[in-house]
Amino acid sequence: MQSKHAPLISDISSHLISSGGKRLRPLLTLASAKLCGYRGSHHIQLAAIVEFIHTATLLHDDVVDESDQRRGVSSVNILWDNSSSVLVGDYLFARSFQLMTEVGRLDILEALSDASAKIAEGEVLQLTASANISTSEDLYYKIVEGKTAALFSASMKVGGMLSNAQDDIIEALSSYGNALGISFQIVDDILDFVGKETQIGKSLGDDFRERKLTLPIIDSISKADDTEIKFWKRTIEDGDQITSDFDRALKILNRNSSMDYSKRIAINWSKNAKKSLAALPNSSIKTVLEELADYVVFRVS
């Protein structure tokens, strides 16, 4: 992430590294490679590539969403500016593809390229669905499969590919990542309403204020009476919000059992993730991956 020609890249990179984060996606790559018996060193490059792609999307997201916090600290677009955030994000995307060529595997390059395209497609789809209270649950899943689950899936898949694992094992790893990513995103949607800012690394209610149609809101709208529909239309479609609207939204979500519904869906996806691992031999890493699927939903239990 260093650049001798553009010191700003190094400055922003240092800020991103020091701000922490779970580093979950690169850890999945390292885990899947080790699980499949890989003995080389390219899994470290792949883990870095995965994290670069993820970080690039975060830099772009913060500009699109006009966010002021990321991982509990001021976001790059606030400390520097939107242009810096976008351009350094572009640099990280480009750097990730440079690293991909060093691995020397066209199939892995194809898998990560596909994931990058799906992420962008998911973000654009979310943009077009934003502030539209007629957004369906099916469309929501298409968005999540793109912007979140695609990279989780690729993170697991490339570890198996690098290890030259059998096709059924690679498919199992990919399915695990996909299900884990969907569960992870639904939990994040829930935490936007009931989490702690130290836990989610951003301000509580950001998704609501940004008028995003998350699963709890979509479910609640499907059960809403006329008064509630007017509320969602004013706050989400029209963007006419006052400070007390967040608390009112939470009360509506609880009244319609939409938070409980979203938790059940997240748990089901977590179970699907664990089922995907059935084809893999028992090992300490497999156990950790099973526990990870439980941990993702434990955050809202």
Side-chain angles (χ1 to χ4, degrees), residues 81-228:
D81 50 44
N82 284 341
S83 298
S84 298
S85 193
V86 169
L87 292 174
V88 172
D90 291 345
Y91 172 82
L92 291 181
F93 264 127
R95 188 75 184 97
S96 70
F97 280 90
Q98 281 184 323
L99 289 173
M100 286 181 215
T101 62
E102 292 178 13
V103 176
R105 289 280 298 267
L106 186 60
D107 55 343
I108 291 175
L109 175 61
E110 182 180 5
L112 290 170
S113 298
D114 286 347
S116 299
K118 287 178 182 177
I119 293 167
E121 185 179 38
E123 293 287 0
V124 173
L125 191 57
Q126 178 173 266
L127 187 64
T128 59
S130 181
N132 182 359
I133 64 171
S134 65
T135 297
S136 67
E137 197 167 319
D138 286 343
L139 180 56
Y140 166 82
Y141 286 122
K142 288 180 182 177
I143 293 170
V144 171
E145 285 175 355
K147 74 166 194 169
T148 303
L151 191 56
F152 272 84
S153 179
S155 299
M156 292 292 295
K157 183 177 183 178
V158 295
M161 294 172 74
L162 185 66
S163 309
N164 296 314
Q166 295 180 353
D167 289 345
D168 61 330
I169 298 297
I170 294 173
E171 180 58 33
L173 295 170
S174 178
S175 296
Y176 170 86
N178 181 70
L180 184 72
I182 295 173
S183 179
F184 185 91
Q185 184 59 59
I186 294 172
V187 169
D188 269 7
D189 292 349
I190 297 168
L191 290 175
D192 186 65
F193 284 97
V194 298
K196 297 178 181 178
E197 293 191 1
T198 53
Q199 180 184 23
I200 61 178
K202 61 180 183 178
S203 300
L204 201 64
D206 272 357
D207 289 345
F208 174 72
R209 283 184 288 273
E210 291 162 11
R211 302 155 67 190
K212 292 180 179 178
L213 273 295
T214 57
L215 184 59
I217 293 177
I218 291 171
D219 179 72
S220 188
I221 290 173
S222 72
K223 302 170 181 175
D225 58 28
D226 290 343
T227 301
E228 291 169 354

